[in-house]
């Protein structure tokens, strides 16, 4: 919790710095962190200071994203098919990564119309499930779980 709060504070502070420095030099806009780093620390040192930090954050975000996606797939599988043989979490992460790799090969955003439609349908379905389950809060827990297989 402390690490997440510290990360949030650092991110907020660096974004504030970026906004403050956006046009500090007349006629020059700093739209990227490495440009701001080059202005503050020099052409070479600025890149050596900013780029490794950006790469660490990007790699960390990608790892968390892949693990979260894989665990979500695993949970959906166990809910949809509780009697089926479970796969290891690492297998689900690899499946998620493979789907990501395939989707990254689409040439432009116009090609992901079906993906956007599927995401909208899944979002709507998620909301319906939440609405259905929230109405079960006042009922007996066992009765809710027995009726859970009838959800959309």
């Amino acid at each position: 919790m402390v690490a997440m709060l510290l990360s949030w504070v650092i991110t907020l502070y660096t974004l504030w710095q970026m906004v403050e420095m956006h046009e500090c030099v007349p006629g020059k806009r700093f739209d990227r962190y490495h440009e701001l780093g080059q202005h503050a620390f020099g052409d070479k040192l600025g890149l050596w200071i900013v780029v490794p930090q950006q790469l660490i954050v990007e790699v960390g975000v990608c790892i968390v994203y892949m693990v979260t996606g894989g665990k979500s797939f695993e949970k959906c599988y166990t809910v949809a098919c509780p009697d089926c043989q479970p796969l290891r979490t690492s297998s689900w992460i690899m499946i998620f990564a493979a789907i990501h790799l395939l989707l990254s090969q689409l040439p432009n955003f116009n090609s992901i119309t079906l993906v956007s439609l599927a995401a909208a349908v899944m979002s709507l379905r998620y909301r319906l499930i939440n609405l259905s389950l929230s109405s079960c809060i006042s009922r007996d827990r066992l009765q809710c779980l027995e009726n859970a297989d009838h959800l959309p």
Side-chain angles (χ1 to χ4, degrees):
M1 179 68 177
V2 174
M4 287 176 51
L5 186 61
L6 183 63
S7 173
W8 178 77
V9 168
I10 291 171
T11 302
L12 188 63
Y13 179 68
T14 56
L15 288 174
W16 176 78
Q17 282 181 325
M18 188 73 169
V19 168
E20 289 295 316
M21 297 288 293
H22 184 66
E23 291 185 10
C24 72
V25 177
K28 181 166 172 111
R29 299 177 80 179
F30 299 111
D31 293 328
R32 293 175 179 82
Y33 283 115
H34 76 274
E35 292 173 353
L36 184 58
Q38 285 177 317
H39 175 72
F41 301 111
D43 287 340
K44 289 187 179 183
L45 184 61
L47 289 177
W48 281 102
I49 290 174
V50 174
V51 172
Q53 293 178 34
Q54 283 184 310
L55 289 175
I56 289 169
V57 169
E58 288 176 12
V59 168
V61 166
C62 286
I63 289 171
V64 169
Y65 188 60
M66 291 293 168
V67 170
T68 304
K71 285 186 177 248
S72 297
F73 274 7
E74 181 180 25
K75 188 65 172 176
C76 289
Y77 178 75
T78 56
V79 167
C81 187
D83 298 330
C84 298
Q85 180 160 349
L87 293 173
R88 294 173 38 190
T89 304
S90 58
S91 300
W92 287 110
I93 293 170
M94 292 303 294
I95 291 169
F96 185 79
I99 291 171
H100 238 271
L101 182 65
L102 288 174
L103 290 177
S104 71
Q105 302 307 311
L106 295 174
N108 57 31
F109 284 122
N110 293 330
S111 302
I112 61 171
T113 305
L114 292 176
V115 175
S116 297
L117 178 64
V121 169
M122 288 182 349
S123 177
L124 182 62
R125 183 175 168 98
Y126 175 72
R127 287 190 174 91
L128 288 173
I129 290 170
N130 282 340
L131 180 65
S132 301
L133 289 177
S134 66
S135 67
C136 292
I137 290 174
S138 62
R139 293 190 210 142
D140 184 31
R141 179 176 159 83
L142 291 175
Q143 183 183 1
C144 262
L145 293 176
E146 289 172 2
N147 295 334
D149 58 343
H150 302 301
L151 293 175

Coordinates of all heavy atoms in Angstrom, one line a residue, residues 9-91:
V9 N 2.3 9.3 -5.8 CA 2.8 10.7 -5.5 C 3.9 11.1 -6.5 O 3.9 12.2 -7.0 CB 3.3 10.8 -4.0 CG1 4.1 12.0 -3.8 CG2 2.1 10.7 -3.1
I10 N 4.8 10.1 -6.8 CA 5.9 10.4 -7.7 C 5.3 10.7 -9.1 O 5.8 11.6 -9.8 CB 6.9 9.3 -7.7 CG1 7.7 9.2 -6.4 CG2 7.9 9.4 -8.9 CD1 8.5 8.0 -6.2
T11 N 4.4 9.9 -9.5 CA 3.8 10.1 -10.8 C 3.1 11.4 -10.9 O 3.2 12.2 -11.9 CB 2.8 9.0 -11.1 OG1 3.4 7.7 -11.1 CG2 2.1 9.1 -12.5
L12 N 2.3 11.8 -9.9 CA 1.6 13.1 -9.9 C 2.6 14.2 -9.9 O 2.4 15.2 -10.6 CB 0.7 13.2 -8.6 CG -0.2 14.3 -8.6 CD1 -1.2 14.3 -9.7 CD2 -0.9 14.4 -7.2
Y13 N 3.7 14.1 -9.1 CA 4.7 15.1 -9.1 C 5.4 15.3 -10.5 O 5.6 16.4 -10.9 CB 5.7 14.8 -8.0 CG 6.8 15.9 -7.9 CD1 6.6 17.2 -7.5 CD2 8.1 15.6 -8.3 CE1 7.6 18.1 -7.4 CE2 9.2 16.5 -8.2 CZ 8.9 17.8 -7.8 OH 9.8 18.7 -7.7
T14 N 5.8 14.2 -11.1 CA 6.4 14.3 -12.4 C 5.5 14.8 -13.5 O 5.9 15.6 -14.4 CB 7.0 12.9 -12.9 OG1 6.0 12.0 -12.9 CG2 8.1 12.5 -11.9
L15 N 4.2 14.5 -13.4 CA 3.2 15.1 -14.3 C 3.1 16.6 -14.1 O 3.0 17.3 -15.1 CB 1.9 14.4 -14.2 CG 1.8 12.9 -14.7 CD1 0.5 12.3 -14.4 CD2 2.0 12.9 -16.2
W16 N 3.1 17.0 -12.8 CA 3.0 18.4 -12.5 C 4.2 19.1 -13.1 O 4.1 20.2 -13.7 CB 2.9 18.6 -11.0 CG 2.9 20.0 -10.6 CD1 1.9 20.9 -10.7 CD2 4.0 20.8 -10.1 NE1 2.3 22.2 -10.3 CE2 3.6 22.1 -9.9 CE3 5.3 20.4 -9.8 CZ2 4.4 23.1 -9.4 CZ3 6.2 21.4 -9.3 CH2 5.7 22.7 -9.1
Q17 N 5.4 18.5 -12.9 CA 6.6 19.1 -13.5 C 6.5 19.2 -15.0 O 6.9 20.2 -15.6 CB 7.9 18.2 -13.1 CG 8.4 18.4 -11.8 CD 9.6 17.5 -11.5 OE1 9.7 16.4 -12.0 NE2 10.5 18.0 -10.7
M18 N 6.0 18.2 -15.6 CA 5.8 18.2 -17.1 C 4.9 19.3 -17.5 O 5.2 20.0 -18.5 CB 5.3 16.9 -17.6 CG 5.3 16.7 -19.0 SD 6.9 16.4 -19.6 CE 6.6 15.9 -21.3
V19 N 3.8 19.5 -16.8 CA 2.9 20.6 -17.1 C 3.6 22.0 -16.9 O 3.5 22.9 -17.8 CB 1.6 20.5 -16.3 CG1 0.8 21.8 -16.4 CG2 0.8 19.3 -16.7
E20 N 4.3 22.1 -15.8 CA 5.0 23.4 -15.6 C 6.1 23.7 -16.6 O 6.3 24.8 -16.9 CB 5.6 23.4 -14.1 CG 4.6 23.4 -13.0 CD 3.8 24.7 -13.0 OE1 4.4 25.8 -13.2 OE2 2.5 24.6 -12.9
M21 N 6.8 22.7 -17.1 CA 7.9 22.9 -18.0 C 7.5 22.8 -19.4 O 8.3 22.9 -20.3 CB 9.0 21.8 -17.7 CG 9.6 21.9 -16.3 SD 10.7 23.3 -16.2 CE 12.0 22.9 -17.3
H22 N 6.2 22.5 -19.7 CA 5.7 22.3 -21.1 C 6.2 23.3 -22.0 O 6.7 23.0 -23.1 CB 4.2 22.2 -21.1 CG 3.6 21.8 -22.4 ND1 3.8 20.6 -23.0 CD2 2.8 22.5 -23.2 CE1 3.2 20.6 -24.2 NE2 2.6 21.7 -24.3
E23 N 6.1 24.6 -21.7 CA 6.5 25.7 -22.6 C 7.4 26.7 -21.8 O 7.2 27.9 -22.0 CB 5.3 26.4 -23.2 CG 4.6 25.5 -24.2 CD 3.5 26.3 -24.9 OE1 3.4 27.5 -24.7 OE2 2.7 25.6 -25.6
C24 N 8.3 26.2 -21.0 CA 9.2 27.1 -20.2 C 10.2 27.8 -21.1 O 10.6 28.9 -20.8 CB 9.9 26.4 -19.1 SG 11.2 25.3 -19.6
V25 N 10.6 27.3 -22.2 CA 11.5 27.9 -23.2 C 10.6 28.4 -24.3 O 9.9 27.7 -25.0 CB 12.5 26.9 -23.7 CG1 13.4 27.6 -24.8 CG2 13.3 26.3 -22.6
P26 N 10.6 29.7 -24.6 CA 9.7 30.3 -25.6 C 10.0 29.6 -27.0 O 11.1 29.5 -27.4 CB 10.1 31.8 -25.7 CG 10.7 32.1 -24.3 CD 11.4 30.8 -23.9
G27 N 8.9 29.2 -27.6 CA 9.0 28.5 -28.9 C 9.3 27.0 -28.9 O 9.3 26.4 -29.9
K28 N 9.6 26.5 -27.7 CA 9.9 25.0 -27.7 C 9.0 24.4 -26.7 O 8.8 24.8 -25.5 CB 11.4 24.8 -27.2 CG 11.7 23.4 -27.2 CD 13.2 23.2 -27.0 CE 13.5 21.7 -26.8 NZ 14.1 21.1 -27.9
R29 N 8.3 23.3 -27.1 CA 7.4 22.6 -26.3 C 8.0 21.2 -25.9 O 8.6 20.5 -26.7 CB 6.1 22.3 -27.0 CG 5.4 23.6 -27.4 CD 4.2 23.3 -28.2 NE 3.1 22.9 -27.2 CZ 1.9 22.6 -27.6 NH1 1.6 22.6 -28.8 NH2 1.0 22.3 -26.6
F30 N 7.9 20.9 -24.6 CA 8.4 19.6 -24.2 C 7.3 18.6 -24.0 O 6.5 18.6 -23.0 CB 9.1 19.7 -22.8 CG 10.3 20.7 -22.9 CD1 10.3 21.9 -22.2 CD2 11.5 20.3 -23.5 CE1 11.3 22.8 -22.3 CE2 12.5 21.2 -23.6 CZ 12.5 22.4 -23.0
D31 N 7.0 17.8 -25.1 CA 5.9 16.9 -25.1 C 6.3 15.5 -24.5 O 5.4 14.7 -24.3 CB 5.4 16.8 -26.5 CG 4.7 18.0 -27.0 OD1 4.2 18.8 -26.1 OD2 4.8 18.3 -28.2
R32 N 7.6 15.3 -24.4 CA 8.0 13.9 -23.9 C 9.0 14.1 -22.8 O 9.7 15.1 -22.7 CB 8.7 13.2 -25.1 CG 7.7 12.8 -26.1 CD 8.4 12.2 -27.3 NE 7.4 11.8 -28.4 CZ 7.0 12.7 -29.3 NH1 7.3 13.9 -29.2 NH2 6.1 12.3 -30.2
Y33 N 9.0 13.1 -21.9 CA 9.9 13.2 -20.7 C 11.4 13.3 -21.1 O 12.1 14.0 -20.5 CB 9.7 12.1 -19.8 CG 8.4 12.2 -18.9 CD1 7.4 11.3 -19.1 CD2 8.3 13.2 -18.0 CE1 6.2 11.5 -18.3 CE2 7.2 13.3 -17.2 CZ 6.1 12.5 -17.4 OH 5.0 12.6 -16.6
H34 N 11.7 12.6 -22.1 CA 13.2 12.6 -22.5 C 13.6 14.0 -23.0 O 14.7 14.4 -22.8 CB 13.5 11.4 -23.4 CG 13.1 11.7 -24.9 ND1 11.9 11.3 -25.3 CD2 13.8 12.2 -25.9 CE1 11.8 11.6 -26.6 NE2 12.9 12.1 -27.0
E35 N 12.7 14.7 -23.7 CA 13.0 16.0 -24.1 C 13.2 16.9 -22.9 O 14.1 17.8 -22.9 CB 11.9 16.6 -25.0 CG 11.8 15.9 -26.4 CD 10.5 16.3 -27.1 OE1 9.7 17.1 -26.6 OE2 10.4 16.0 -28.3
L36 N 12.4 16.8 -21.9 CA 12.5 17.6 -20.7 C 13.8 17.2 -20.0 O 14.5 18.1 -19.5 CB 11.3 17.3 -19.8 CG 11.2 18.2 -18.5 CD1 11.2 19.6 -18.8 CD2 9.9 17.7 -17.8
G37 N 14.1 16.0 -19.9 CA 15.4 15.5 -19.3 C 16.6 16.1 -20.1 O 17.5 16.5 -19.4
Q38 N 16.5 16.1 -21.4 CA 17.6 16.6 -22.2 C 17.8 18.1 -21.9 O 18.9 18.6 -21.8 CB 17.4 16.4 -23.6 CG 17.7 14.9 -24.0 CD 17.4 14.7 -25.5 OE1 16.4 15.1 -26.0 NE2 18.3 13.9 -26.1
H39 N 16.7 18.8 -21.8 CA 16.7 20.3 -21.5 C 17.3 20.5 -20.1 O 18.1 21.4 -19.9 CB 15.4 20.9 -21.6 CG 15.4 22.3 -21.2 ND1 15.9 23.3 -22.0 CD2 14.9 23.0 -20.1 CE1 15.8 24.5 -21.4 NE2 15.1 24.3 -20.2
A40 N 16.9 19.7 -19.1 CA 17.3 19.9 -17.7 C 18.7 19.5 -17.5 O 19.5 20.1 -16.8 CB 16.4 19.2 -16.8
F41 N 19.2 18.3 -18.1 CA 20.4 17.7 -17.7 C 21.4 17.7 -18.9 O 22.5 17.2 -18.7 CB 20.2 16.3 -17.2 CG 19.3 16.2 -16.0 CD1 18.1 15.6 -16.1 CD2 19.8 16.6 -14.8 CE1 17.3 15.5 -15.0 CE2 19.0 16.5 -13.7 CZ 17.7 16.0 -13.8
G42 N 21.1 18.1 -20.0 CA 22.0 18.1 -21.2 C 21.5 16.9 -22.1 O 20.8 16.0 -21.8
D43 N 22.0 17.0 -23.4 CA 21.6 16.0 -24.4 C 21.9 14.6 -24.0 O 21.0 13.7 -24.1 CB 22.2 16.3 -25.7 CG 21.6 17.6 -26.4 OD1 20.5 18.0 -26.0 OD2 22.3 18.2 -27.2
K44 N 23.1 14.2 -23.6 CA 23.4 12.8 -23.3 C 23.0 12.4 -21.9 O 22.3 11.4 -21.7 CB 24.9 12.6 -23.5 CG 25.4 12.6 -24.9 CD 26.8 12.2 -25.0 CE 27.2 12.2 -26.5 NZ 28.6 11.8 -26.7
L45 N 23.3 13.2 -20.9 CA 22.9 12.9 -19.5 C 21.4 12.8 -19.3 O 20.9 11.9 -18.6 CB 23.6 13.8 -18.5 CG 23.4 13.5 -17.0 CD1 24.0 12.2 -16.7 CD2 24.0 14.6 -16.2
G46 N 20.7 13.7 -20.0 CA 19.2 13.7 -19.9 C 18.6 12.4 -20.3 O 17.7 11.8 -19.7
L47 N 19.2 11.8 -21.4 CA 18.7 10.5 -21.9 C 19.0 9.4 -20.9 O 18.2 8.5 -20.7 CB 19.2 10.2 -23.3 CG 18.6 11.1 -24.4 CD1 19.3 10.7 -25.7 CD2 17.1 10.9 -24.5
W48 N 20.2 9.4 -20.4 CA 20.7 8.4 -19.5 C 19.9 8.4 -18.1 O 19.8 7.4 -17.4 CB 22.2 8.5 -19.2 CG 23.0 7.9 -20.3 CD1 23.6 8.6 -21.3 CD2 23.2 6.6 -20.6 NE1 24.3 7.8 -22.1 CE2 24.0 6.5 -21.7 CE3 22.8 5.4 -19.9 CZ2 24.5 5.3 -22.3 CZ3 23.3 4.2 -20.5 CH2 24.1 4.1 -21.6
I49 N 19.4 9.6 -17.8 CA 18.6 9.7 -16.5 C 17.2 9.3 -16.8 O 16.6 8.5 -16.0 CB 18.7 11.1 -16.0 CG1 20.1 11.3 -15.4 CG2 17.7 11.3 -14.8 CD1 20.4 12.8 -15.0
V50 N 16.5 9.7 -17.8 CA 15.1 9.6 -18.0 C 14.7 8.2 -18.7 O 13.8 7.5 -18.2 CB 14.6 10.7 -18.9 CG1 13.1 10.5 -19.2 CG2 14.7 12.0 -18.2
V51 N 15.4 7.8 -19.7 CA 15.0 6.6 -20.5 C 15.1 5.4 -19.6 O 14.1 4.6 -19.7 CB 15.9 6.5 -21.8 CG1 15.6 5.2 -22.5 CG2 15.6 7.7 -22.7
P52 N 16.1 5.1 -18.8 CA 16.0 3.9 -18.0 C 14.8 3.8 -17.1 O 14.2 2.8 -16.9 CB 17.4 3.9 -17.2 CG 18.3 4.7 -18.1 CD 17.4 5.7 -18.7
Q53 N 14.5 5.0 -16.5 CA 13.4 5.0 -15.6 C 12.1 4.7 -16.4 O 11.2 4.0 -15.9 CB 13.3 6.4 -14.9 CG 14.4 6.6 -13.9 CD 14.3 8.0 -13.3 OE1 13.2 8.5 -13.1 NE2 15.4 8.6 -13.0
Q54 N 11.9 5.3 -17.5 CA 10.8 5.0 -18.4 C 10.7 3.5 -18.7 O 9.6 3.0 -18.7 CB 10.8 5.9 -19.6 CG 10.4 7.3 -19.4 CD 10.3 8.1 -20.7 OE1 11.3 8.0 -21.5 NE2 9.3 8.8 -20.9
L55 N 11.8 2.9 -19.1 CA 11.8 1.5 -19.4 C 11.4 0.7 -18.3 O 10.7 -0.3 -18.4 CB 13.2 1.1 -20.0 CG 13.5 1.7 -21.4 CD1 14.9 1.3 -21.8 CD2 12.5 1.2 -22.4
I56 N 11.9 1.0 -17.1 CA 11.6 0.2 -15.9 C 10.1 0.3 -15.6 O 9.4 -0.8 -15.3 CB 12.4 0.7 -14.7 CG1 13.8 0.3 -14.8 CG2 11.8 0.2 -13.3 CD1 14.8 1.0 -13.8
V57 N 9.5 1.4 -15.7 CA 8.1 1.6 -15.5 C 7.3 0.8 -16.6 O 6.3 0.1 -16.3 CB 7.7 3.1 -15.5 CG1 6.2 3.3 -15.5 CG2 8.3 3.8 -14.3
E58 N 7.7 1.0 -17.8 CA 7.0 0.3 -18.9 C 7.0 -1.3 -18.7 O 6.0 -1.9 -18.9 CB 7.5 0.7 -20.3 CG 7.2 2.1 -20.7 CD 7.8 2.5 -21.9 OE1 8.4 1.7 -22.7 OE2 7.8 3.7 -22.3
V59 N 8.2 -1.8 -18.4 CA 8.3 -3.2 -18.2 C 7.5 -3.7 -17.0 O 6.8 -4.7 -17.1 CB 9.8 -3.6 -18.0 CG1 9.9 -5.0 -17.5 CG2 10.6 -3.4 -19.3
G60 N 7.5 -2.9 -15.9 CA 6.7 -3.3 -14.8 C 5.2 -3.3 -15.1 O 4.5 -4.2 -14.7
V61 N 4.8 -2.2 -15.8 CA 3.3 -2.2 -16.2 C 3.0 -3.3 -17.1 O 1.9 -4.0 -16.9 CB 3.0 -0.8 -16.8 CG1 1.7 -0.8 -17.5 CG2 3.1 0.3 -15.8
C62 N 3.8 -3.7 -18.0 CA 3.5 -4.8 -18.9 C 3.4 -6.1 -18.1 O 2.6 -7.0 -18.4 CB 4.6 -4.9 -20.0 SG 4.4 -3.6 -21.3
I63 N 4.3 -6.3 -17.2 CA 4.3 -7.6 -16.4 C 3.0 -7.6 -15.6 O 2.3 -8.7 -15.6 CB 5.6 -7.6 -15.5 CG1 6.8 -7.9 -16.3 CG2 5.4 -8.7 -14.4 CD1 8.1 -7.8 -15.6
V64 N 2.7 -6.5 -14.9 CA 1.5 -6.5 -14.1 C 0.2 -6.8 -15.0 O -0.7 -7.5 -14.7 CB 1.3 -5.2 -13.3 CG1 0.0 -5.0 -12.7 CG2 2.4 -5.2 -12.3
Y65 N 0.2 -6.1 -16.2 CA -0.9 -6.3 -17.1 C -1.0 -7.7 -17.6 O -2.1 -8.3 -17.6 CB -0.6 -5.3 -18.3 CG -1.8 -5.2 -19.3 CD1 -3.0 -4.8 -18.9 CD2 -1.6 -5.5 -20.6 CE1 -4.0 -4.6 -19.8 CE2 -2.6 -5.4 -21.5 CZ -3.8 -5.0 -21.1 OH -4.9 -4.8 -22.0
M66 N 0.1 -8.4 -17.9 CA 0.0 -9.8 -18.4 C -0.4 -10.7 -17.3 O -1.2 -11.6 -17.5 CB 1.4 -10.2 -18.9 CG 1.8 -9.6 -20.2 SD 0.8 -10.1 -21.5 CE 1.3 -8.9 -22.8
V67 N 0.1 -10.5 -16.1 CA -0.3 -11.4 -15.0 C -1.8 -11.2 -14.6 O -2.5 -12.2 -14.4 CB 0.6 -11.1 -13.7 CG1 0.1 -11.8 -12.5 CG2 2.0 -11.6 -14.0
T68 N -2.2 -9.9 -14.6 CA -3.6 -9.7 -14.3 C -4.5 -10.2 -15.4 O -5.6 -10.8 -15.1 CB -3.9 -8.1 -14.2 OG1 -3.0 -7.6 -13.2 CG2 -5.3 -7.8 -13.8
G69 N -4.2 -10.1 -16.6 CA -5.0 -10.7 -17.7 C -5.0 -12.2 -17.7 O -6.1 -12.8 -17.8
G70 N -3.9 -12.8 -17.4 CA -3.8 -14.2 -17.3 C -4.6 -14.8 -16.1 O -5.4 -15.8 -16.2
K71 N -4.6 -14.1 -15.0 CA -5.4 -14.5 -13.8 C -6.9 -14.3 -14.1 O -7.7 -15.1 -13.6 CB -4.9 -13.7 -12.6 CG -3.6 -14.3 -12.0 CD -3.3 -13.6 -10.7 CE -2.0 -14.1 -10.2 NZ -2.2 -14.9 -9.0
S72 N -7.2 -13.2 -14.8 CA -8.6 -13.0 -15.2 C -9.1 -14.1 -16.1 O -10.2 -14.6 -15.9 CB -8.8 -11.7 -15.8 OG -8.4 -10.6 -15.0
F73 N -8.3 -14.5 -17.1 CA -8.7 -15.6 -17.9 C -8.9 -16.9 -17.1 O -9.8 -17.7 -17.3 CB -7.6 -15.9 -19.0 CG -7.8 -15.0 -20.2 CD1 -8.7 -14.0 -20.3 CD2 -7.0 -15.2 -21.3 CE1 -8.9 -13.2 -21.4 CE2 -7.1 -14.5 -22.5 CZ -8.0 -13.5 -22.5
E74 N -8.0 -17.1 -16.2 CA -8.0 -18.3 -15.3 C -9.3 -18.3 -14.5 O -10.0 -19.3 -14.4 CB -6.8 -18.4 -14.4 CG -6.8 -19.6 -13.5 CD -5.6 -19.6 -12.6 OE1 -5.0 -18.5 -12.4 OE2 -5.2 -20.7 -12.2
K75 N -9.7 -17.2 -13.9 CA -10.9 -17.1 -13.1 C -12.1 -17.3 -14.0 O -13.0 -18.0 -13.5 CB -10.9 -15.7 -12.4 CG -12.0 -15.6 -11.4 CD -11.7 -16.5 -10.3 CE -12.7 -16.3 -9.2 NZ -12.6 -17.2 -8.1
C76 N -12.1 -16.7 -15.2 CA -13.3 -16.9 -16.1 C -13.4 -18.4 -16.4 O -14.6 -18.9 -16.4 CB -13.1 -16.1 -17.3 SG -13.4 -14.3 -17.1
Y77 N -12.3 -19.0 -16.7 CA -12.4 -20.5 -17.0 C -12.9 -21.3 -15.8 O -13.7 -22.2 -16.0 CB -11.0 -20.9 -17.4 CG -10.8 -22.4 -17.7 CD1 -11.3 -22.9 -18.9 CD2 -10.2 -23.3 -16.9 CE1 -11.2 -24.2 -19.3 CE2 -10.1 -24.6 -17.2 CZ -10.6 -25.1 -18.4 OH -10.5 -26.4 -18.7
T78 N -12.4 -21.0 -14.6 CA -12.9 -21.8 -13.5 C -14.3 -21.6 -13.2 O -15.0 -22.5 -12.7 CB -12.0 -21.6 -12.2 OG1 -12.0 -20.2 -12.0 CG2 -10.6 -22.0 -12.5
V79 N -14.8 -20.3 -13.4 CA -16.2 -20.0 -13.2 C -17.1 -20.7 -14.2 O -18.1 -21.2 -14.0 CB -16.4 -18.5 -13.1 CG1 -17.9 -18.2 -13.2 CG2 -15.8 -18.0 -11.8
A80 N -16.6 -20.6 -15.5 CA -17.4 -21.1 -16.6 C -17.4 -22.7 -16.6 O -18.4 -23.3 -17.0 CB -16.9 -20.6 -17.9
C81 N -16.3 -23.3 -16.2 CA -16.2 -24.7 -16.3 C -15.6 -25.2 -15.0 O -14.4 -25.6 -14.9 CB -15.4 -25.1 -17.5 SG -15.4 -26.9 -17.8
P82 N -16.4 -25.3 -13.9 CA -15.8 -25.7 -12.6 C -15.3 -27.2 -12.5 O -14.4 -27.5 -11.7 CB -16.9 -25.4 -11.6 CG -18.1 -25.4 -12.4 CD -17.8 -25.0 -13.7
D83 N -15.9 -28.0 -13.4 CA -15.5 -29.4 -13.4 C -14.3 -29.7 -14.3 O -13.8 -30.9 -14.3 CB -16.7 -30.3 -13.7 CG -17.9 -30.1 -12.8 OD1 -17.6 -29.8 -11.6 OD2 -19.0 -30.2 -13.2
C84 N -13.9 -28.8 -15.1 CA -12.8 -29.0 -16.0 C -11.5 -29.1 -15.3 O -11.4 -28.5 -14.2 CB -12.8 -28.0 -17.1 SG -14.3 -27.9 -18.1
Q85 N -10.5 -29.7 -16.0 CA -9.2 -29.7 -15.4 C -8.5 -28.4 -15.5 O -8.5 -27.8 -16.5 CB -8.3 -30.8 -16.1 CG -6.9 -30.8 -15.5 CD -6.3 -32.1 -15.8 OE1 -6.9 -33.0 -16.4 NE2 -5.0 -32.2 -15.6
P86 N -8.1 -27.8 -14.3 CA -7.5 -26.5 -14.4 C -6.1 -26.4 -15.0 O -5.4 -27.4 -15.0 CB -7.4 -26.1 -12.9 CG -7.3 -27.4 -12.2 CD -8.1 -28.4 -13.0
L87 N -5.8 -25.3 -15.6 CA -4.5 -25.1 -16.2 C -3.7 -24.2 -15.2 O -4.3 -23.6 -14.3 CB -4.6 -24.3 -17.5 CG -5.2 -25.0 -18.7 CD1 -5.4 -24.0 -19.8 CD2 -4.4 -26.2 -19.1
R88 N -2.4 -24.3 -15.3 CA -1.5 -23.5 -14.5 C -1.7 -22.0 -14.8 O -2.0 -21.7 -16.0 CB -0.1 -23.9 -14.6 CG 0.1 -25.3 -14.1 CD 1.5 -25.9 -14.3 NE 2.5 -24.9 -14.2 CZ 3.8 -25.1 -14.5 NH1 4.1 -26.2 -15.1 NH2 4.7 -24.1 -14.4
T89 N -1.4 -21.1 -13.9 CA -1.5 -19.7 -14.1 C -0.6 -19.2 -15.2 O -0.9 -18.4 -16.0 CB -1.3 -18.9 -12.8 OG1 -2.2 -19.4 -11.8 CG2 -1.5 -17.4 -13.0
S90 N 0.6 -19.8 -15.2 CA 1.6 -19.4 -16.3 C 1.0 -19.7 -17.7 O 1.3 -19.0 -18.6 CB 2.9 -20.1 -16.0 OG 2.7 -21.5 -16.0
S91 N 0.3 -20.8 -17.8 CA -0.3 -21.1 -19.1 C -1.3 -20.1 -19.5 O -1.4 -19.7 -20.7 CB -1.0 -22.5 -19.0 OG -0.1 -23.5 -18.7

